[in-house]
Structure formats: structure tokens, C-alpha cells
Amino acid sequence: MSKKDATIGVLALQGAVELHRPHIEACGADFKAVKTQKQFEDIDAFILPGGESTTMLRLIRNFGLWDALAENFKTKPVWGICAGSILMAEKVTNPAQDSFGILPFTVERNGYGRQLESHHSDINGYKVSFIRAPIITDIGKDVEILAEHEGSPVWVQKGNKIASTFHPELTEDYPSPMHRHFIDLVRSGLSCRFPSLIYT
Amino acid sequence: MGKTSSTSNVINIKTGLAEMLKGGVIMDVVTADQAKVAEEAGAVAVMALERVPSDIRKAGGVARMSPPELIEEIMKVSSIPVMAKCRIGHFAEAQLLQQIGVDYIDESEVLTPADEEFHINKQDFKVPFVCGAKNLGEALRRIGEGAALMRTKGEPGTGNIVEAVRHMRQINAQIKWVSNMDESELMTAARDLGAPFELLKIVREEGKLPVPNFAAGGIATPADAALCMQLGAESVFVGSGIFKSDNPEKFAKAIVKAAAHFDDPAIVLEASKELEGVAMRGTEISEIDEPMRMANRGW
């Protein structure tokens, strides 16, 4: 098979990494699990996967990856899922913790409650999972809301940054519309010679 | 593409949480302070206990579910998932744990079994269960009862990795054996393993267990964690290994680091140099009388 036109890197420090592979490959793009600065250079876009945001934060700090990620996030498309969306937020509550602040929203960790409150739901006709999911409690006016659930935004976008508080990757119906949407966005950026002019 | 919810095949919400815990370390804690140390070190979850397995061994007597107040106190200070153990077959303890609202129940051989014949029907519960297994048949029996996550039994509280390795290798070998099997041989294999036929069929098709498989029982060092992960464990449970070591904070951080980079010996070495203390003493398995071995509990 010839080289794919886009390589999607899933940050693989911890969490649900492999489940993205079939979704990404069904879009005709390359999947790559990344956990070092050198690997970050070889990818066109990031998925920050679901998992435990506190664990990911510790590992990012302990491995001195913060600056490298922040630098990459300035230009490359990023999609944060659940824990990943918490890392992208401007502000995190319950409890407060560090975040990259690359999307202007406030997010409350475990907003629905504990595991007993985890549930499935339909988002744009696709069945997804909310697992100890966060809730976006406040959002910048310039952020586009792609989907809502129980009155809160759950899938949002600004420029080439996307966050979803739910998991489409746990659904084995490939690719999810959310993966399709993200990879289309990545491709539209790659076909443009000056993506930073559009997305900043 | 016809994507409606009625046709979509989604991983159930119980196993979904296990997927989120992959590539991490679940740590036994006996106080709220220890839970904070664990979270600060980067644990993906904590197991709230009254005593760690090595102390349960020492204390003797009957080991039961931890007091609810203790579990609730640990839940209060933790933002990561909190698990708790109930006795094998003790569905009333499991009901209490669900009522408390823990995120995962471990139906565990570390506690004194309440039923020597029947495990809990875990399908009855909304809260997910993790169970231990020594081999493929046992793993599939537990999954058949509704376990959403498996782990090796190992030999808890020993700081000795040999049993966890044995169980991991046994399950791997049996999965390979089944994967290469002709379909017509499958029913006989199901009989010999004591495994539900339909689940064995899935294992044959997919070449892996239908739920994630973690390692537990005897993990005491970063290298132990790396060993288990390279043998195919997707995360590790560390019981006595952290808070029975010289320097729990450093051990916790180092084991988290090793689990994240289990396939990079340079980083596991780095983690091993950061321990600043010695691991728990450890016990040779042959020193433990057969009836005292926890891995033999359950079937």
C-alpha cells in the first residue's frame, strides 16, 4: 500500500490508544502511537485519548514533554477525548489541575458522577460512550458547538482544535463520524500551504 | 453506511472503563493519605483496602470487605477511579460496594472466600467487576459470569512475580492453542478447559480475551511491571509492592514510569535508579503451605 496522506498520532502515555487504529485506518489515514518528542515530529495531527487525565499530566511532566507538546499544539490539529479534552481546556474544576489551555472552555471532571453514571448515548446518529465523563460548564463564544447532550456541549471545535467529552472509539462501527470529521479537517490543513494562517 | 444505534456494536460501558485504565498502575491503598500519594504518583486507579495482602497473610483469621467508612473516605479524596474488594461469592458485600458507589469491584481471592462453589453472578450488577484467573478456562468462566476485566491471580502479598508470570504465560499459551485450532475441535477444548463454548469461539476468532487482561500478584519493582506488560498484560495491579517498600512515593512513581515505557529498557532502568530504597522483602512460594496460597481460592 502506498504511503497514506495523513498520519494521526495518538498520545500513548496511558489510556485507550489501540481502539483508534481501526477508525483511523477506515478513513484511509495512518495510525501511530506516540510517546516521545521525536515521534511528535513525524505526525500530522494529535489525538489525546481517553484515560486518566491526572496520570497523563504526571507522565507529561515527568518525561519533560510539556513544552514539546505545547509547541506542536500551536500548529497541528488536536482532538482531545474525555481525559484528552480535559488536557485541552482553559480551566479544569473538581479538582483544579493544569491544562494546555488550547480551547477556551471550562470543564468539570467526572461531571456526571462516578462509574455508575457512565452511559451510552446517540450523538448525531452514532452510539457513543460517556465514561466518568467530564462536563463542559462554560465555553468561549467563538467555539463552535458540534453536538450537545443533556443541555451541555459535548463535541466542540475552534479552528483545528476539537474536543469531545464522549468516546466514539469504543464503538466498533468504522469509522466513526467524529474520526471522519477530524481526519477531513487534518487533510484540509495539509492541502493548504499555510495552515497557520487559517487556524490561528 | 447505515450507522444507527440499533445496528452499532459498542463495547459495554463496564469494559469501557477498563479500556481507559490501560497502560497504567492500579495501587492498593489503606488510608486516604496513601490514596493521595498514589494519585500524585500517577496511578490510574486505587484499590481501597483495610490491609494490603502481605498484612492479611500476617494477620491470619478471616479477611472480609473493608469497612464502608474507609472506602468512602478514600473515594472522597480521589479523583481517579476507586476499586474495592469483596469475598468470592459474597454477593451481599458486592451489593454494599455498589451501594457505596465504587467504580470497580474486585471479587478477590485475597479475601477469605464466602462460597467455595459459586462465584457472584456479576451480570446482576451495574458496577463492573474484575476477577483473577490462573488459566484460560477460569478467565472465561468469570467473563461468562459478567466480569468486565481480568487479571492474573499471581500469589498476592509475596512480592514474588513467579506466579503472575506463570498465569500470564498459561493464558497466552492456551489462547495460541485455541487460535490455531480447527473449529471442529472447539467443543472438546471447551469441555477440557471448562470454558463457555461461545466465549471460546470469540477467543479463537480474535486471538485474545474478550475483555482486557491485567497482571496482579507479586509485582514489587519497575522491572516486574515491565516484565508483565511485555508478556501481554495491559496494566498492572500493585498491592503490597508500593506501600510495603522503603519509599512508597518513589516506588509508586517509578512503577508508573516503567508501565508507561515497559518496552524501553533505558527508561525502565532510569525508573529503577529512582527508587531510593529497597523493595518489599518477598516470600518464596514454596515457603507458603498449600492451603495458605491465595491463588488456589475460587475455581
Side-chain angles (χ1 to χ4, degrees), chain A residues 14 35 58 116 125 172, chain B residues 3 9 20 40 103 126 260:
Chain A
Q14 188 272 317
K35 45 186 173 184
R58 298 292 177 275
L116 287 172
E172 297 166 325
Chain B
K3 285 193 200 87
N9 187 12
M20 299 308 139
E40 189 56 38
D103 296 293
K126 196 172 175 221

Side-chain angles (χ1 to χ4, degrees), chain B residues 198-260:
Chain B
E198 292 302 325
L199 290 176
L200 202 60
K201 231 167 109 175
I202 295 173
V203 170
R204 180 177 171 274
E205 279 157 21
E206 298 187 354
K208 60 182 186 67
L209 289 182
V211 304
N213 192 20
F214 295 177
I219 295 160
T221 66
D224 287 348
L227 175 66
C228 292
M229 302 279 287
Q230 287 184 53
L231 286 172
E234 295 169 292
S235 274
V236 292
F237 285 85
V238 185
S240 319
I242 289 171
F243 289 99
K244 284 290 157 188
S245 72
D246 262 5
N247 194 333
E249 254 164 78
K250 300 273 181 184
F251 267 76
K253 271 188 195 149
I255 294 178
V256 167
K257 195 169 183 173

Side-chain angles (χ1 to χ4, degrees), chain B residues 18-37:
Chain B
E19 295 287 344
M20 299 308 139
L21 302 179
K22 281 184 176 177
V25 183
I26 299 147
M27 301 181 191
D28 277 5
V29 297
V30 299
T31 63
D33 284 341
Q34 288 187 355
K36 282 188 228 161
V37 169

Side-chain angles (χ1 to χ4, degrees), chain A residues 14-15 35 51-52 54-55 58 63 109-110 114-116 119-120 122 125-127 132 167 170 172-173 175, chain B residues 3 5 8-11 13 16-17 20 22 40 42-44 79-82 98 101 103 126 257 260-261:
Chain A
Q14 188 272 317
K35 45 186 173 184
E52 282 305 319
T54 47
T55 308
R58 298 292 177 275
F63 291 115
R109 291 184 59 201
N110 304 327
R114 311 189 70 96
Q115 172 64 9
L116 287 172
H119 57 281
H120 293 298
D122 270 341
Y126 191 77
K127 194 169 183 180
R132 288 174 46 97
H167 301 271
L170 291 164
E172 297 166 325
D173 191 358
Chain B
K3 285 193 200 87
S5 61
S8 60
N9 187 12
V10 62
I11 294 174
I13 213 82
L17 178 56
M20 299 308 139
K22 281 184 176 177
E40 189 56 38
V44 290
S79 73
I80 55 179
V82 175
Q98 174 163 283
D103 296 293
K126 196 172 175 221
K257 195 169 183 173
H261 287 273

Side-chain angles (χ1 to χ4, degrees), chain B:
Chain B
M1 264 175 278
K3 285 193 200 87
T4 60
S5 61
S6 57
T7 59
S8 60
N9 187 12
V10 62
I11 294 174
N12 81 51
I13 213 82
K14 297 175 172 178
T15 297
L17 178 56
E19 295 287 344
M20 299 308 139
L21 302 179
K22 281 184 176 177
V25 183
I26 299 147
M27 301 181 191
D28 277 5
V29 297
V30 299
T31 63
D33 284 341
Q34 288 187 355
K36 282 188 228 161
V37 169
E39 183 164 339
E40 189 56 38
V44 290
V46 291
M47 179 77 71
L49 279 171
E50 192 177 18
R51 284 193 286 265
V52 294
S54 64
D55 287 338
I56 289 175
R57 273 186 197 288
K58 241 181 268 165
V62 174
R64 312 181 179 91
M65 182 192 111
S66 300
E69 303 85 346
L70 174 71
I71 298 168
E72 282 169 347
E73 200 188 318
I74 288 169
M75 286 167 65
K76 220 177 284 164
V77 302
S78 303
S79 73
I80 55 179
V82 175
M83 304 185 175
K85 291 184 196 291
C86 71
R87 286 179 262 180
I88 290 174
H90 206 314
F91 55 84
E93 280 186 351
Q95 288 163 353
L96 297 192
L97 292 174
Q98 174 163 283
Q99 196 65 32
I100 292 170
V102 301
D103 296 293
Y104 243 96
I105 296 176
D106 185 0
E107 186 185 16
S108 177
E109 66 281 5
V110 164
L111 306 182
T112 312
D115 192 323
E116 294 189 327
E117 195 171 0
F118 301 107
H119 284 250
I120 296 171
N121 180 13
K122 293 162 276 284
Q123 313 273 14
D124 280 350
F125 289 79
K126 196 172 175 221
V127 63
F129 277 77
V130 53
C131 287
K134 302 187 293 293
N135 54 54
L136 182 60
E138 190 174 14
L140 295 180
R141 289 192 292 276
R142 296 296 86 76
I143 296 167
E145 291 158 357
L149 168 64
M150 291 307 304
R151 56 169 175 76
T152 59
K153 283 181 158 175
E155 191 53 44
T158 60
N160 189 340
I161 198 66
V162 67
E163 294 302 309
V165 168
R166 190 192 317 282
H167 302 160
M168 205 72 217
R169 283 200 184 274
Q170 175 73 5
I171 290 175
N172 288 346
Q174 289 177 317
I175 289 175
K176 273 184 211 149
W177 173 63
V178 169
S179 301
N180 292 322
M181 196 169 272
D182 192 271
E183 203 176 344
S184 61
E185 301 167 330
L186 209 57
M187 187 58 85
T188 303
R191 181 199 62 195
D192 294 346
L193 293 170
F197 177 76
E198 292 302 325
L199 290 176
L200 202 60
K201 231 167 109 175
I202 295 173
V203 170
R204 180 177 171 274
E205 279 157 21
E206 298 187 354
K208 60 182 186 67
L209 289 182
V211 304
N213 192 20
F214 295 177
I219 295 160
T221 66
D224 287 348
L227 175 66
C228 292
M229 302 279 287
Q230 287 184 53
L231 286 172
E234 295 169 292
S235 274
V236 292
F237 285 85
V238 185
S240 319
I242 289 171
F243 289 99
K244 284 290 157 188
S245 72
D246 262 5
N247 194 333
E249 254 164 78
K250 300 273 181 184
F251 267 76
K253 271 188 195 149
I255 294 178
V256 167
K257 195 169 183 173
H261 287 273
F262 66 90
D263 51 358
D264 186 339
I267 296 178
V268 178
L269 174 62
E270 210 178 281
S272 306
K273 287 178 176 172
E274 289 164 3
L275 297 175
E276 293 178 20
V278 295
M280 65 180 287
R281 185 180 166 275
T283 311
E284 163 59 32
I285 303 298
S286 62
E287 289 169 17
I288 306 169
D289 293 339
E290 194 78 25
M292 298 303 288
R293 294 189 194 169
M294 292 170 174
N296 295 341
R297 295 167 166 177
W299 63 282

Side-chain angles (χ1 to χ4, degrees), chain A residues 37-50:
Chain A
Q37 190 172 346
K38 196 170 165 298
Q39 290 169 332
F40 299 161
E41 307 309 322
D42 302 334
I43 58 171
D44 300 308
F46 283 86
I47 289 179
L48 307 180

Side-chain angles (χ1 to χ4, degrees), chain A residues 130-150:
Chain A
F130 287 84
I131 298 181
R132 288 174 46 97
I135 291 182
I136 294 175
T137 52
D138 190 30
I139 189 159
K141 285 193 187 64
D142 48 353
V143 182
E144 187 185 353
I145 295 170
L146 301 174
E148 289 191 349
H149 170 63
E150 296 179 2

